[in-house]
Amino acid sequence: MQRWPERLWIVRHGESAGNVARDAAHAAGLSRIDIAHRDVDVPLSPLGEEQSRALGRWFAALPAGERPNVVLTSPYLRAQRTAEIIEAEGGVCVERHTFVVDERLREKEFGVLDRLTRSGIEELHPDQAEFRRLLGKFYHRPPGGESWCDVILRLRSALDTISLHHSGCRVLIVGHQVVVLCLRYLLENMTEQKILEIDAEGDVANCSVTEYRLDPSFGEHGQLMLHCYNFLAPLEEAGAPVTSEPDAKVAAR
């Protein structure tokens, strides 16, 4: 019995206003990132909208039978808007598709470190900076926030739901940088060391594509195999600038 989707795309949202605000704070040497919105309400930047349209057109150029027919998105505005634009550009199967907002795909929560730059954390919460240095980002949980392990716990549940309800489908997930990395950790049965090595190589670009394809010959129920990671051709072909800045709360990512 098949348990997995035929194809699975995992996309990080387009550039957000939080990315822009973070860059401004770092350039000015500030401790705090100046943004008025709750993290859940941070919108796409104009460039993020452009990136999302480019990605939607790339999906739309696929044969109709190869486009996503299930869309799962984080409830955060920047992810929902990215998914909506992809759909509006014809990037999902028009005959039949499911669009689901799933809170388990939300951004990692940062607790007391919310809106702080790296220097801001060292200045205002030196104990947390030291805990993170000792524990590493995989296990460090700031007060009121989450560790990577906490994110992985909820993503295990999300993958079980995909297996139960969307086997045999073509599934698009729109989420966040840590979500992309933690899903790779789960789908490829990685170690802490391996996923942190991948993380250290560079950020997940906005609107980049990570794709898995089902190999039915692998194991009892088949296996999703990595086809590409951080794939940027959809943006490059459309001439949309590539951005890879972490979201506003970069220091605790």
Side-chain angles (χ1 to χ4, degrees):
M1 184 180 67
Q2 183 171 316
R3 293 182 50 203
W4 294 109
E6 291 288 345
R7 295 174 77 170
L8 174 65
W9 298 271
I10 309 169
V11 168
R12 184 186 175 198
H13 60 79
E15 184 192 64
S16 73
N19 301 142
V20 177
R22 168 209 172 263
D23 280 354
H26 277 281
L30 301 177
S31 297
R32 297 186 183 275
I33 296 163
D34 183 17
I35 191 162
H37 306 280
R38 294 185 308 163
D39 194 28
V40 67
D41 298 323
V42 171
L44 291 177
S45 68
L47 175 55
E49 299 253 346
E50 179 186 350
Q51 292 169 334
S52 300
R53 287 192 294 271
L55 182 56
R57 291 192 296 270
W58 180 80
F59 275 114
L62 297 175
E66 295 183 19
R67 297 173 201 153
N69 58 7
V70 175
V71 180
L72 306 175
T73 177
S74 159
Y76 282 41
L77 178 60
R78 54 191 180 272
Q80 284 199 67
R81 181 61 180 151
T82 300
E84 290 166 356
I85 292 173
I86 292 171
E87 183 180 30
E89 292 291 332
V92 299
C93 180
V94 295
E95 290 81 9
R96 171 185 171 273
H97 72 271
T98 303
F99 193 103
V100 179
V101 176
D102 192 325
E103 72 287 343
R104 293 170 298 183
L105 301 174
R106 70 188 185 275
E107 173 66 289
K108 177 182 179 291
E109 296 178 358
F110 293 83
V112 299
L113 306 184
D114 189 10
R115 301 169 190 255
L116 297 181
T117 61
R118 188 178 303 277
S119 61
I121 292 175
E122 293 171 350
E123 174 190 345
L124 300 170
H125 295 283
D127 56 336
Q128 292 303 314
E130 179 62 9
F131 288 153
R132 185 173 183 274
R133 186 188 68 80
L134 293 171
L135 295 172
K137 67 169 65 176
F138 195 81
Y139 288 105
H140 175 244
R141 179 191 295 128
E146 294 180 298
S147 67
W148 277 35
C149 287
D150 295 321
V151 176
I152 287 166
L153 181 62
R154 52 179 160 91
L155 291 177
R156 286 190 187 278
S157 170
L159 285 178
D160 284 346
T161 299
I162 290 171
S163 174
L164 180 64
H165 294 291
H166 305 303
S167 63
C169 296
R170 302 179 301 277
V171 177
L172 169 62
I173 293 175
V174 182
H176 308 268
Q177 177 160 241
V178 173
V179 168
V180 175
L181 290 165
C182 289
L183 283 171
R184 282 203 65 184
Y185 170 88
L186 289 170
L187 290 167
E188 299 173 49
N189 195 27
M190 291 184 183
T191 63
E192 173 195 3
Q193 178 182 355
K194 180 60 178 176
I195 192 59
L196 291 182
E197 286 175 355
I198 292 171
D199 176 56
E201 290 172 359
D203 292 318
V204 179
N206 296 109
C207 278
S208 65
V209 177
T210 297
E211 180 182 349
Y212 290 86
R213 297 183 180 180
L214 180 68
D215 181 350
S217 68
F218 194 95
E220 183 179 0
H221 303 291
Q223 180 71 41
L224 285 172
M225 308 298 289
L226 183 68
H227 178 69
C228 63
Y229 168 62
N230 219 6
F231 180 60
L232 296 172
L235 303 188
E236 293 169 345
E237 290 171 3
V242 174
T243 55
S244 59
E245 300 90 345
D247 284 322
K249 295 169 290 190
V250 58
R253 182 173 63 82

